[in-house]
Amino acid sequence: MAEIEWQQETDVVIVGGGLAGYCAAHEAAQNGAEVLLLEKQQEIGGSTVLSGGFLAFAGTDLQRAAGIEDSNELLISDLRNAGGHENDERLLSVYAEHQLDAYEWLKSAGTKFIGVQLSSAHSVPRAHATDPRALMKLVSDRAQRAGRVKTLLGSAVERLVRSGHGAPVSGVFATTQGRTQAIRARRGVVLAAGGFSRNAEMLKNFVPNQSRAVRYGGAGNTGDGIRMAWALGAGFRDMGYIKGTFGFHPDARTQEGRDWTKLPVYRGAIAVNRPGKRYVDESLSYKLLGDAVLRQPDAIAYQIFDQGIMDQAADGVPPFDFRSAQRRGLVFQAASLEELAREIAIDGPTLVATVKRYNGFVANGKDEDFGRDGLSSHYGKLVKIERPPFYAYPSTSGLIATYCGLTVDTEARIIDVFGEPIRNLYAAGELMGGFHGVAYMTGSSLGKCVIFGRIAGRNAARAA
Ligand SMILES: Cc1cc2nc3c(=O)[nH]c(=O)nc-3n(C[C@H](O)[C@H](O)[C@H](O)COP(=O)(O)OP(=O)(O)OC[C@H]3O[C@@H](n4cnc5c(N)ncnc54)[C@H](O)[C@@H]3O)c2cc1C
């Protein structure tokens, strides 16, 4: 390979300005490295700022104050159950080892956690809620304050540079305002470029069964980091398990501004398909619910609930903020189930019979159709749907994130298809594979960004 003419030099290059990228940047700078963070969009934040802002931690002061007993063991067991025991156990152990430290680190950066919610795949409430934009700002400000971090916006990294197979990664080619330059990374490169929920071609190749899901996530999430490491022989994990999230409005693509999944099912709603029938245990992980809705006619379901459940809405907590969805005209409301059925164009007597049968199961304590025994997972008492007015929220599966990708070790080094580390190349955040296995547990992706972002940054700074 011809000698590269470097236009810029730094110690550590970080590709991507989301949560993982800035956690890595902070830690690399703290470990004495000069850091250049390249972000291809004109603003930082990626999918992080679109997220629900839930982070999964166990055994925190917030949980204790709310009388919730949680532990590392329970957290890991929930991750394993959500992941169908396909998770890389070594990565789960890293999460367990560092999660409380990550929680304290975020608090020390000024992050305010406003409560703990029960969410998908949790056997106790452990989704620590925060405003994702504030989180992003606090973490990026903290990294900038470390003094050695420079951010270049509108700079897309195109390729990794190394002199040949087995040689360390020595830099990147990046394009800023139409000009491509070679940037040397004296110590290492951290890929934190997010997933590929916006790359139709990659999705088609890896998960053609998700083609009916609505595509969402950060506009820059086109799998660049995965493809660049792939070109150097990186291995993959969990690609076939990509799943959408249940609860997105079918028009999510066309809604203005941010949109999120709404999950009245986790407050006691049922999900019915166009024929007006239940088709699933609604307490399952919203990832599995996402797969289930894709198998229904037109890939559509309606979450049906009553005023009692509407009263359980949590304003400002995205998945449970049913009232804001109603204000935006996304929720149907009617005085009776027959009228509601007319509004959503499904057969009235069928919907009435479905709700009656379900209420009977609640009264008898046994769901004879789908074995539902909790609001989410096995937690929470089921409630009848009986108090008017009644509501219907049209829902499909939204592909918000990919949660799979590059094989990494516990040091966040990227491992090639032969099991060897690609020297001086690290991964953090959504583009890592192996952590989630079959499905994601709420809050574990942002949690993983902090934990592995910090590890990747630290190790890149220390690399020779
Ligand atoms: C609607 C929604 C709700 C979610 N809710 C939650 C939740 O509550 N809890 C949870 O744990 N997870 C949640 N997630 C998932 C979570 O937000 C993401 O997995 C996480 O934010 C990914 O962080 P990241 O730093 O890896 O990537 P991102 O935050 O996506 O950042 C990656 C950045 O890299 C940039 N980039 C890409 N390619 C290049 C390139 N070639 N050169 C330079 N820059 C590049 C992108 O523009 C982007 O800014 C949600 C996701 C969505 C979309």
Side-chain angles (χ1 to χ4, degrees):
M1 190 177 174
E3 190 81 356
I4 301 267
E5 213 176 289
W6 303 105
Q7 275 85 38
Q8 277 203 59
E9 286 201 16
T10 187
D11 291 324
V12 173
V13 166
I14 296 185
V15 185
L19 184 59
Y22 275 103
C23 288
H26 177 267
E27 225 46 32
Q30 286 291 103
N31 282 275
E34 184 183 273
V35 178
L36 181 62
L37 185 148
L38 301 162
E39 165 55 54
K40 80 173 172 185
Q41 301 294 114
Q42 290 302 339
E43 58 175 358
I44 65 166
S47 281
T48 301
V49 295
L50 299 175
S51 78
F54 291 114
L55 288 92
F57 299 118
T60 63
D61 49 0
L62 258 188
Q63 286 178 309
R64 278 195 301 279
I68 300 158
E69 273 193 41
D70 201 1
S71 64
N72 259 330
E73 290 69 35
L74 197 54
L75 169 87
I76 297 306
S77 146
D78 284 353
L79 281 165
R80 266 190 212 120
N81 287 336
H85 294 251
E86 292 287 324
N87 327 60
D88 181 336
E89 283 290 327
R90 296 164 314 158
L91 302 183
L92 296 188
S93 300
V94 173
Y95 196 100
E97 189 186 339
H98 295 284
Q99 55 96 13
L100 273 179
D101 180 44
Y103 173 72
E104 294 300 338
W105 184 79
L106 289 173
K107 284 210 309 179
S108 70
T111 307
K112 300 261 180 298
F113 290 104
I114 50 180
V116 194
Q117 299 281 334
L118 178 73
S119 193
S120 177
H122 294 173
S123 39
V124 295
R126 73 162 69 90
H128 291 66
T130 190
D131 173 348
R133 284 197 175 265
L135 170 74
M136 193 66 241
K137 179 157 173 26
L138 287 165
V139 170
S140 56
D141 283 355
R142 186 178 197 173
Q144 302 289 357
R145 273 201 312 277
R148 300 187 189 87
V149 178
K150 188 174 156 199
T151 297
L152 266 188
L153 294 177
S155 296
V157 176
E158 317 272 0
R159 296 281 190 278
L160 298 167
V161 180
R162 69 173 176 180
S163 59
H165 182 75
V169 170
S170 54
V172 299
F173 285 112
T175 302
T176 314
Q177 290 178 342
R179 193 173 139 253
T180 300
Q181 46 174 340
I183 302 173
R184 182 170 172 217
R186 287 183 291 257
R187 303 195 200 174
V189 173
V190 177
L191 295 177
F196 55 98
S197 61
R198 294 284 190 169
N199 186 321
E201 181 75 25
M202 284 176 80
L203 290 171
K204 194 169 138 214
N205 281 334
F206 290 112
V207 275
N209 64 336
Q210 294 291 330
S211 61
R212 295 210 293 175
V214 171
R215 283 201 291 279
Y216 200 62
N221 287 29
T222 48
D224 304 9
I226 291 178
R227 281 181 293 133
M228 285 188 275
W230 186 0
L232 267 51
F236 292 146
R237 283 277 302 243
D238 304 338
M239 304 306 268
Y241 298 137
I242 292 173
K243 288 181 174 50
T245 297
F246 179 66
F248 272 83
H249 194 279
D251 296 336
R253 262 173 299 208
T254 55
Q255 298 295 332
E256 280 176 19
R258 297 192 290 169
D259 209 340
W260 287 286
T261 172
K262 297 278 174 276
L263 293 165
V265 282
Y266 291 159
R267 296 288 201 246
I270 56 170
V272 303
N273 55 17
R274 281 229 199 271
K277 302 260 177 69
R278 285 178 73 216
Y279 57 89
V280 75
D281 167 358
E282 294 88 347
S283 71
L284 293 179
S285 146
Y286 49 50
K287 295 291 174 189
L288 299 176
L289 295 180
D291 275 359
V293 75
L294 290 181
R295 294 191 292 269
Q296 303 311 305
D298 301 328
I300 292 280
Y302 296 90
Q303 296 185 64
I304 305 289
F305 53 110
D306 69 356
Q307 188 57 41
I309 293 169
M310 183 55 112
D311 290 344
Q312 302 297 313
D315 296 346
V317 180
F320 303 112
D321 195 349
F322 316 140
R323 283 183 280 257
S324 80
Q326 190 182 23
R327 280 194 297 277
R328 290 166 60 204
L330 303 177
V331 180
F332 292 90
Q333 175 182 339
S336 68
L337 284 169
E338 291 83 351
E339 203 184 307
L340 189 68
R342 261 196 307 280
E343 298 250 348
I344 56 181
I346 66 178
D347 182 60
T350 309
L351 180 64
V352 170
T354 298
V355 172
K356 190 169 169 217
R357 183 172 170 80
Y358 176 76
N359 286 344
F361 294 157
V362 176
N364 299 334
K366 189 166 168 39
D367 173 3
E368 287 170 22
D369 290 340
F370 299 101
R372 180 181 194 179
D373 64 0
L375 297 179
S376 170
S377 197
H378 305 289
Y379 187 91
K381 216 163 150 317
L382 298 182
V383 290
K384 288 185 186 174
I385 298 167
E386 58 185 1
R387 179 149 75 89
F390 296 97
Y391 300 91
Y393 179 71
S395 305
T396 188
S397 175
L399 206 55
I400 60 173
T402 39
Y403 303 129
C404 62
L406 305 169
T407 44
V408 294
D409 66 8
T410 55
E411 300 298 322
R413 298 183 300 178
I414 297 180
I415 306 299
D416 74 12
V417 289
F418 301 113
E420 297 290 329
I422 301 177
R423 291 165 61 202
N424 293 6
L425 187 62
Y426 301 83
E430 193 176 312
L431 50 60
M432 285 171 50
F435 180 79
H436 300 287
V438 173
Y440 142 99
M441 179 191 85
T442 299
S444 59
S445 190
L446 292 175
K448 182 185 73 171
C449 286
V450 181
I451 291 166
F452 286 93
R454 295 180 72 205
I455 293 173
R458 204 174 304 143
N459 289 335
R462 289 175 187 163

